[in-house]
Amino acid sequence: MSERGLILVVEDEKPISDLLRLYLQREGFGVHAEFDGPSGLTAARTKHPSAVVLDVGLPGMDGTEVCRILREEGNWVPIVFCTARDDEVDRILGLEMGADDYVTKPFSPREVVARVKSLVRRAGLTGADDAPLTAGRLSLDTTQRRAYVAGAEVTLTATEFDLLARLMSDPGRVLSRDQLLSEVWGYASVVGTRTVDVHVAQLRAKLGEDSPIRTVRGVGYSCEVDRS
Ligand code: CA
C-alpha cells in the first residue's frame, strides 16, 4: 500500500483529511493522519514520512510552529503547507519557516497530490554520476543533496536545493520564472511566479555574498558557475 512512501497529513478538518487520504492512497502512498499540532509534530519525528501535508490553522500548535520546531531539530522532511489565507503565504514561504510548497484553501485534492508527488520525487533524486557544482566558495553535492560554503554546510530545503542546482547546472543561461516553475516544481505555473522570487530571496538570505544567483531584470534568473 505504501510502496511510494508514507505521507503524514496534519489537518484538523476531518472531511479534508479523509479526501487527502483517499487521493494519496490512490496514488500508492501510505497515509498517516493527525488532527492537531502536537500529535503532528510527534508523528513527523517518529513515523519518518516522505513528506508532510501540514495545515496552518491547527488546534494545540500552529502548523508554522510545527515546521519551525522540525527545522530547528534538523528535520528537513519536505512540507506542503495548506493555508486558508492568501496573506499567510509570504510568512509560510519565509526564510524561518523552511516550507517547500503551499496550497491555498479551497484546494483540489488532485493539486495537493501533485505537489506531494513532485516533492517526493525530487527528494528521492540522486545525481550519482554528477560532479559537485561549484561557484566560488559555494559547492553543491548533488549525490548527497548538500550545500557547502567554504566547507561549512548550509541547510537548504528540498526546493531551495533543486532551484539552486537547476540554475547552477546551466551556468550563464538565463531561465525565466515560468521555466523554473515547470522544471523545478514540476507543475504548470498556476501558483504564480512569486513562488520563485520568494525562494530565490531565501537562498540569497542563506548564502549571503556567496549566492551566485543573478537577477536578469524582466527575464528571470541566471547563475555564474566555475567550469572547473
Ligand atoms: Ca485548520
Side-chain angles (χ1 to χ4, degrees), residues 21-122:
R21 174 191 290 277
L22 184 74
Y23 274 75
L24 286 165
Q25 286 179 341
R26 198 181 284 172
E27 290 291 332
F29 291 108
V31 176
H32 179 88
E34 294 291 351
F35 302 90
D36 62 74
S39 307
L41 179 61
T42 301
R45 286 170 172 156
T46 57
K47 302 282 182 188
H48 306 293
S50 300
V52 181
V53 180
L54 186 57
D55 188 25
V56 174
L58 288 169
M61 186 190 291
D62 210 64
T64 56
E65 183 66 7
V66 173
C67 176
R68 194 187 60 75
I69 292 172
L70 286 173
R71 296 322 192 208
E72 253 178 32
E73 293 173 351
N75 186 329
W76 292 89
V77 60
I79 293 178
V80 182
F81 268 109
C82 304
T83 173
R85 288 170 47 194
D86 198 47
D87 61 355
E88 278 179 339
V89 167
D90 283 333
R91 187 163 70 87
I92 289 170
L93 289 178
L95 174 65
E96 74 278 12
M97 292 307 315
D100 293 291
D101 207 346
Y102 69 94
V103 288
T104 48
K105 293 179 177 179
F107 51 74
S108 80
R110 229 181 280 274
E111 189 186 354
V112 179
V113 170
R115 305 295 173 87
V116 168
K117 278 166 75 174
S118 167
L119 274 180
V120 170
R121 177 179 57 79
R122 287 191 280 128

Side-chain angles (χ1 to χ4, degrees), residues 4 17 38 74 106 163 169 220:
R4 296 192 70 168
S17 175
L163 177 59
S169 67

Side-chain angles (χ1 to χ4, degrees), residues 127-145:
D129 51 339
D130 293 340
L133 298 166
T134 58
R137 304 196 305 163
L138 172 67
S139 159
L140 291 195
D141 180 338
T142 52
T143 308
Q144 300 290 322
R145 295 180 60 84

